Amino acid sequence: MNSYEPSRAYRLGEWACDLAAAALLWWLLSPLSAVVFLGLTRLRSVRRARFFDLGRFTVGVCMGPRVKFLFGVAFTRYNGVGRISGFEVLIGRHSLMVCALAPRDEWKTRMRRAAERRAALEKGGDR
């Protein structure tokens, strides 16, 4: 497996070319074609998994086995029961997914416990 990481100048040049092509598509065809082109080129440039937590959900891109194109759902197991936790689109080796980190009721309990822990730490720190 190649662990080559392109230089910053290379990545900036890649962005500049992609933005120029997207602007041309915007002007010649439509804004939608430009947005789709830019999104797909950025998706194809990902070399390692990147996820961002947005509250109860996580959004990210990761590498997987090579397929042409596939829609799917992501499953997770909560208490031994498999449930749908999100949506996934596979394009080539890249998987774009949006998943819930926990079921809604568990998330509320988790946030309440975290708030209780923070309050206990603040109270213990005041002594």
Side-chain angles (χ1 to χ4, degrees), residues 14-70:
E14 188 178 46
W15 261 103
C17 289
D18 289 346
L19 286 173
L24 189 61
L25 283 171
W26 186 295
W27 183 61
L28 291 175
L29 295 175
S30 71
L32 181 62
S33 64
V35 169
V36 168
F37 169 78
L38 197 58
L40 288 176
T41 57
R42 294 296 88 212
L43 178 66
R44 300 276 303 159
S45 71
V46 170
R47 302 268 187 260
R48 58 188 163 143
R50 297 178 193 272
F51 285 89
F52 303 98
D53 290 341
L54 305 170
R56 186 170 81 94
F57 295 92
T58 187
V59 176
V61 176
C62 61
M63 302 290 283
R66 185 172 295 279
V67 296
K68 289 188 184 225
F69 185 79
L70 180 70

Side-chain angles (χ1 to χ4, degrees), residues 10 13 41 45 62 78 101 113 123:
Y10 179 85
T41 57
S45 71
C62 61
Y78 300 115
L101 295 171
R113 287 183 182 159
K123 185 178 178 182

